[in-house]
């Protein structure tokens, strides 16, 4: 009966909307028994892409009738949206699962689902089957759109459900999304990655690069703007190769120009830019529109050409520096931030010196510094020149200090200026203040109340605390 019914649908979106309704009916029965709403809690690990996926999960959950709660321990349904980019991300998930084990023992009706990048690894699934049998539902990155259907089955069948796909060509549009912020939103423009940097597991767990149709993207952004969204963050592992493989190919800079035309959108951000594909056209488009934020995240990974080659990054120390300085020259008020890995196989003190040299030459406004993590199945994991922990201990702090010194120096340059700020939230430590972000992504705290949230105001940057500012509001924009 189920099958016949679901065969009637013309597309996957309709099919999933049907399962949201079915799940809603199941939850209504549960509500009647419990005398309250059925609650859910989603925890997100990893990057912006995962954060956006979690908004999709929550959109489905809320539409199906779940009530979101902060209380993981007492929630009826807990979902971990996982990351596997570095081993510590995996360990955190196992730690949290371990803590849930005894809670589930006391409350066997509690449901647990795991999804996201970590689930795309066979070894993880084996381990979960063996040691975490209390988990109810496991699915991966390629079939997230099936969440409603899988949840419905979870409640109906009672057995552990594992549904992992190796790949997909499908992009399912128009499922419900529950945004974390009313005034800003991530927008996926592409999925997957084709770059195969030798240390990185993302291409294996997110699959090949697929761009969304630009018409769909603009349609989504127009809808967001109508909904009050002022800032969009265009998301992809390498936004500079957007459009490749699409029939009526448009480039990333062309897409940006289209986004700039959307009325109501006042700020546009994007991430991540791979240095090998960053075009002059992009720099021109960024220059020509002040809607496009003065921030570019341009991961360096290493400043040594030898290591960059081994990483398969396809640029050199010199070409990176040339590109970054060209951008600084063309767009003087831009913030350039980066990602850096310390401890890649074969790395020596001289390679680290090169990295430090690039950090100082480009003067990054900020950078995430990561300890290299060996990821099973990646080419780098098989390299026989892995470096010692002691090497990493010695050199990580050197890199971090250089990053921090440069970030501080860059931040201080804005003291005394008045800048446009998008107000994001009430200050965490002082409720008489609000916290907002400059176009270049710097944070500023200033006196204000919740009526300012989501508005763009002029703020004078009075006092730099190295990585953020205290300021005062000068007026509306
Ligand atoms: N697509 C983005 C990066 C996504 S992953 C890009 O190429 O810019 C985010 C960051 O995690 C990477 O930039 C890299 O610095 C870091 N990373 C990825 N794999 C890693 C590993 N095995 N060990 C340590 N850091 C890693
Ligand atoms: Fe990983 Fe490289 Fe792809 Fe970024 S570009 S996701 S670092 S493989
Ligand atoms: Fe992690 Fe997957 Fe993002 S591995 S960094 S959540 S793409």
């Amino acid at each position: 009966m189920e099958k016949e019914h679901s065969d009637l649908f013309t597309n996957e979106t309709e099919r999933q909307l049907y399962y949201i309704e079915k799940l809603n009916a199941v939850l209504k029965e549960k509500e009647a028994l419990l005398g309250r709403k059925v609650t859910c809690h989603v925890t997100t690990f990893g990057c912006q892409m995962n954060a956006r996926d979690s908004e999709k999960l929550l959109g489905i959950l809320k539409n199906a009738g779940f009530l979101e709660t902060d209380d993981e321990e007492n929630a009826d349904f807990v979902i971990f949206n996982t990351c596997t980019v570095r081993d510590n991300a995996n360990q955190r998930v196992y730690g949290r699962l371990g803590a849930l084990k005894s809670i589930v023992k006391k409350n066997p009706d509690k449901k647990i689902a795991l999804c996201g990048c970590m689930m795309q690894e066979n070894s993880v699934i084996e381990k979960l089957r063996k040691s975490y049998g209390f988990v109810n539902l496991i699915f991966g990155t390629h079939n997230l759109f099936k969440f409603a259907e899988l949840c419905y089955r979870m409640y109906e069948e009672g057995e552990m459900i594992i549904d992992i796909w190796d790949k997909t060509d499908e992009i399912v549009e128009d499922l419900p999304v529950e945004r974390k912020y009313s005034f800003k939103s991530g927008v996926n423009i592409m999925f997957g990655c084709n770059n195969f940097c030798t240390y990185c597991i993302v291409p294996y767990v997110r699959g090949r690069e697929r761009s969304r149709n630009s018409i769909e993207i603009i349609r989504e952004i127009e809808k967001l703007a109508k909904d009050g969204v002022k800032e969009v963050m265009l998301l992809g592992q390498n936004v500079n190769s957007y459009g490749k493989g699409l029939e009526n190919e448009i480039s990333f800079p062309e897409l940006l120009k289209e986004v700039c035309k959307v009325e109501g959108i006042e700020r546009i951000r994007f991430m991540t830019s791979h240095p090998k594909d960053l075009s002059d056209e992009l720099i021109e488009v960024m220059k020509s529109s002040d809607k496009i934020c003065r921030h570019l995240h341009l991961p360096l990974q290493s400043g040594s050409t030898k290591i960059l080659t081994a990483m398969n990054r396809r640029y050199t120390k010199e070409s990176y520096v040339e590109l970054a300085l060209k951008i600084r020259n063309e767009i003087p008020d831009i913030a350039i931030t980066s990602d850096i890995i310390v401890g890649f196989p074969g790395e020596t003190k001289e390679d680290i010196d090169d990295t430090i040299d690039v950090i100082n030459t480009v003067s990054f406004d900020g950078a995430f510094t990561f300890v290299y993590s060996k990821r099973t199945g990646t080419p780098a994991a098989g390299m026989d020149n892995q470096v010692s922990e002691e090497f990493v201990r010695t050199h990580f702090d050197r890199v971090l200090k250089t990053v921090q010194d440069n970030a501080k120096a860059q931040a201080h340059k804005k003291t005394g200026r008045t800048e446009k700020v998008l107000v994001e939230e009430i200050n965490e430590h002082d409720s008489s203040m609000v916290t907002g972000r400059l176009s270049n992504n710097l944070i500023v705290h200033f006196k204000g109340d919740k009526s300012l949230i989501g508005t763009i105001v002029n703020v004078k940057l009075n006092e730099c605390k190295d990585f953020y500012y205290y300021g005062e509001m000068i007026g509306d924009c």
Side-chain angles (χ1 to χ4, degrees):
M1 187 63 197
E2 208 57 68
K3 197 145 189 57
E4 281 165 33
H5 226 117
S6 48
D7 282 347
L8 292 175
F9 304 117
T10 51
N11 65 34
E12 190 57 43
T13 308
E14 270 183 30
R15 200 177 124 86
Q16 293 308 318
L17 293 175
Y18 163 79
Y19 277 107
I20 290 178
E21 292 289 306
K22 302 268 293 176
L23 185 55
N24 189 256
V26 173
L27 292 184
K28 286 234 165 79
E29 277 174 31
K30 290 206 170 294
E31 265 173 38
L33 280 174
L34 293 167
R36 60 164 175 81
K37 283 273 197 189
V38 185
T39 57
C40 68
H41 179 85
V42 179
T43 300
T44 312
F45 300 84
C47 65
Q48 309 262 7
M49 232 78 61
N50 255 22
R52 183 64 179 158
D53 284 350
S54 288
E55 292 186 343
K56 295 178 184 172
L57 296 173
L58 261 175
I60 292 169
L61 289 166
K62 286 207 169 168
N63 269 270
F66 281 97
L67 177 73
E68 191 187 3
T69 167
D70 287 341
D71 183 358
E72 181 180 300
E73 198 175 322
N74 291 307
D76 299 306
F77 185 22
V78 170
I79 301 101
F80 288 163
N81 189 8
T82 64
C83 168
T84 185
V85 77
R86 287 169 289 276
D87 187 53
N88 54 10
N90 298 45
Q91 294 316 320
R92 277 169 55 216
V93 170
Y94 288 127
R96 294 280 285 270
L97 267 183
L100 277 181
K101 204 170 190 166
S102 56
I103 298 170
V104 174
K105 241 189 204 145
K106 277 187 239 145
N107 175 12
D109 286 338
K110 191 180 179 89
K111 302 278 186 216
I112 315 282
L114 299 175
C115 62
C117 296
M118 203 174 144
M119 300 306 122
Q120 294 293 139
E121 293 181 278
N122 292 337
S123 58
V124 170
I125 301 299
E126 284 314 304
K127 185 166 171 165
L128 291 171
R129 269 189 213 277
K130 224 159 111 194
S131 314
Y132 298 88
F134 62 91
V135 172
N136 306 91
L137 168 62
I138 297 173
F139 59 103
T141 55
H142 301 301
N143 56 347
L144 185 116
F145 65 83
K146 267 183 77 181
F147 185 46
E149 181 177 347
L150 292 168
C151 275
Y152 173 71
R153 280 184 51 203
M154 173 182 82
Y155 278 109
E156 291 297 284
E157 293 174 17
E159 295 283 300
M160 186 194 236
I161 297 174
I162 302 181
D163 190 5
I164 309 287
W165 298 4
D166 286 347
K167 57 175 187 201
T168 183
D169 297 327
E170 208 163 358
I171 296 177
V172 180
E173 303 282 355
D174 292 329
L175 284 172
V177 181
E178 178 71 24
R179 286 197 319 276
K180 189 169 168 193
Y181 299 95
S182 59
F183 53 88
K184 66 172 185 178
S185 179
V187 174
N188 298 107
I189 63 164
M190 58 206 295
F191 303 93
C193 181
N194 284 353
N195 288 310
F196 290 96
C197 303
T198 55
Y199 50 81
C200 184
I201 200 159
V202 171
Y204 304 89
V205 295
R206 286 272 173 177
R208 290 299 65 71
E209 191 177 284
R210 285 154 289 138
S211 292
R212 268 178 85 195
N213 189 308
S214 60
I215 293 168
E216 294 287 356
I217 296 171
I218 298 299
R219 203 163 59 90
E220 178 177 343
I221 295 175
E222 283 170 348
K223 221 167 116 203
L224 289 169
K226 278 204 190 89
D227 236 29
V229 166
K230 294 206 170 122
E231 177 179 302
V232 287
M233 163 86 92
L234 309 180
L235 298 171
Q237 292 299 349
N238 176 15
V239 292
N240 296 326
S241 68
Y242 171 79
K244 288 186 185 146
L246 280 185
E247 256 176 45
N248 298 318
E249 186 170 309
I250 79 164
S251 67
F252 180 59
E254 282 162 349
L255 177 70
L256 270 180
K257 279 198 232 165
E258 292 304 310
V259 180
C260 287
K261 289 183 202 154
V262 178
E263 216 175 297
I265 296 298
E266 296 182 39
R267 282 186 165 188
I268 303 160
R269 300 183 185 277
F270 52 87
M271 83 185 313
T272 299
S273 274
H274 195 302
K276 78 177 165 61
D277 297 316
L278 198 144
S279 63
D280 287 347
E281 195 191 348
L282 177 66
I283 300 173
E284 278 311 308
V285 173
M286 286 186 83
K287 249 168 81 172
S288 69
S289 169
D290 52 13
K291 281 190 176 185
I292 304 175
C293 287
R294 294 304 184 238
H295 176 212
L296 187 69
H297 189 62
L298 193 66
L300 167 68
Q301 313 301 359
S302 166
S304 151
T305 300
K306 178 193 97 188
I307 296 296
L308 287 169
T309 308
M311 286 176 163
N312 190 32
R313 288 291 287 181
R314 287 171 276 176
Y315 52 85
T316 61
K317 175 185 183 184
E318 290 72 26
S319 67
Y320 183 96
V321 169
E322 192 188 332
L323 175 66
L325 295 183
K326 175 162 77 182
I327 295 165
R328 281 225 186 277
N329 196 32
E330 295 282 331
I331 315 170
D333 53 347
I334 201 163
I336 303 181
T337 57
S338 206
D339 291 345
I340 293 163
I341 298 176
V342 174
F344 186 82
E347 201 165 39
T348 62
K349 177 186 174 295
E350 287 68 37
D351 297 316
I352 300 281
D353 289 342
D354 272 335
T355 299
I356 287 180
D357 188 31
V358 177
I359 301 168
N360 284 326
T361 310
V362 176
S363 200
F364 288 129
D365 296 78
F368 296 110
T369 311
F370 303 113
V371 172
Y372 167 72
S373 174
K374 200 170 167 178
R375 307 315 290 134
T376 309
T378 61
M383 292 178 184
D384 55 14
N385 47 359
Q386 306 287 323
V387 301
S388 68
E389 275 180 33
E390 201 197 320
F391 176 90
V392 171
R393 243 185 323 234
T394 313
H395 295 289
F396 185 87
D397 288 350
R398 275 210 302 143
V399 172
L400 189 66
K401 184 166 185 317
T402 314
V403 164
Q404 288 178 341
D405 289 347
N406 278 281
K408 282 183 209 171
Q410 287 294 103
H412 275 272
K413 286 183 180 169
K414 291 221 174 260
T415 306
R417 287 213 228 164
T418 297
E419 295 253 343
K420 283 185 181 168
V421 169
L422 174 58
V423 184
E424 298 203 334
E425 58 200 2
I426 294 288
N427 186 290
E428 269 181 32
H429 306 291
D430 178 349
S431 61
S432 71
M433 298 185 92
V434 290
T435 299
R437 227 171 258 273
L438 316 193
S439 168
N440 79 353
N441 218 31
L442 261 177
I443 297 274
V444 56
H445 308 290
F446 57 99
K447 283 270 175 240
D449 60 38
K450 70 173 192 287
S451 68
L452 292 174
I453 293 175
T455 63
I456 296 180
V457 293
N458 281 316
V459 176
K460 183 154 184 249
L461 304 171
N462 290 332
E463 191 189 355
C464 183
K465 292 284 188 186
D466 290 344
F467 301 110
Y468 60 90
Y469 270 93
Y470 282 118
E472 66 184 299
M473 195 171 120
I474 300 293
D476 294 344
C477 291

